Amino acid sequence: MTNGTSIGITDIEAAQKRISQTIHRTRTEDSAYLTEKFGAPVHLKLEHQQRTGSFKLRGATNAVLNLTEAQRENGVVGVSTGNHGRGLAYAARQNGVGCIICMSELVPQNKIDGIKAQGAEVRIIGRSQDDAQIEVDRLVSEEGMTLIPPFDHPDIIAGQGTLGLELAEDLPYLATALVQVSGGGLISGVAAALKARLPGIRVIGVSMERGAAMYQCQQIGKPVLVPELSTLADSLGGGIGLDNAYTFAMTRDLVDEIILVSEAEIAGAIRHAYWHESQIIEGSGAVGIAALLSGKAKPDGPTALLLSGGNIDMNLHHRIISGEDVDVTAED
Ligand SMILES: *Cc1c(COP(=O)(O)O)cnc(C)c1O
């Protein structure tokens, strides 16, 4: 139930009904290698095979389908250059709703192309995210468009939570789930679903060491500004918002622990996914595997890992799986 600050199982069940027509229900697969290595069943949720390459489509679709008729007519706007932007663009087009994604001129061409390919209008404004935000605010106030944020929104959290329902349906004996954490929309929804359906389950968050905003905010006990650093887990970058309304509290209340992994561990996990699981995943999708392989997370009974996204530059991917010691942190 929505009580103003939290999203619950009934919201997530409603989202599942709403989005099931357009969302791909991704498979869970056993990892023979990890099961053998850790002596406990390890399951991979193949969400990188979701349409648009990540789970962000779930929340975005739920938000678009929840618009009023007037809101549908005026369209939606977003600021994400990454997976949320792709998901939102796709969900809007799929449902005949106009969509503008605003970004600064510093955004690389391949990201712009990725979003255009999903059918959204891309509007490039100024040299910073702040400039882009000014245009977003104008589109909302003057043109009546609806801003769909990437994580701190009830429809987004409930949509991402449908992943937790699928995990509970497919793996009712699950003891532990390792889930990525950035803004916390994903883990808030997944933890709410899993803890309602499978009492006693542990939900462990995983972030990268470099710029782990939610982790640092939880340590301090409130949302604070955390500097963003370049990382192989680029979809996990960015803050949680000083005015965070939902995901900070839900993460605090529902997540048992947050583990941080290094750049080398993330690269090793991308490599592992390719050579041992036949999966091409981006750095953010690999942090659960990194947590296990590094020994930082111990599979305590049947364990599920979420492969949350697959949108990685294929040249970078090729260098990593070839064993090159790739360092994306040099610019900081
Ligand atoms: C956005 C994203 C995450 C993190 O989701 P949050 O809701 O921001 O915590 C994890 N993995 C991938 C691939 C993503 O795109």
Side-chain angles (χ1 to χ4, degrees), residues 55-56 83 151 180-186 235-236 282 284 308-309:
F55 69 89
K56 291 280 194 333
N83 288 333
F151 55 87
Q180 289 77 359
V181 189
S182 175
L186 174 65
S235 296
L236 302 185
E282 59 177 284
S284 305
S308 57

Side-chain angles (χ1 to χ4, degrees), residues 48 53-56 82-84 150-152 156-157 160 179-188 206-207 214 234-237 239 247 251 282-287 306-311:
H48 61 302
S54 87
F55 69 89
K56 291 280 194 333
N83 288 333
H84 173 65
F151 55 87
D152 199 32
I156 298 290
I157 296 166
Q160 322 304 33
V179 181
Q180 289 77 359
V181 189
S182 175
L186 174 65
I187 203 167
S188 294
V206 191
S207 294
M214 180 63 87
D234 55 334
S235 296
L236 302 185
T247 63
T251 302
E282 59 177 284
S284 305
V287 296
L306 189 55
L307 308 189
S308 57
N311 292 322

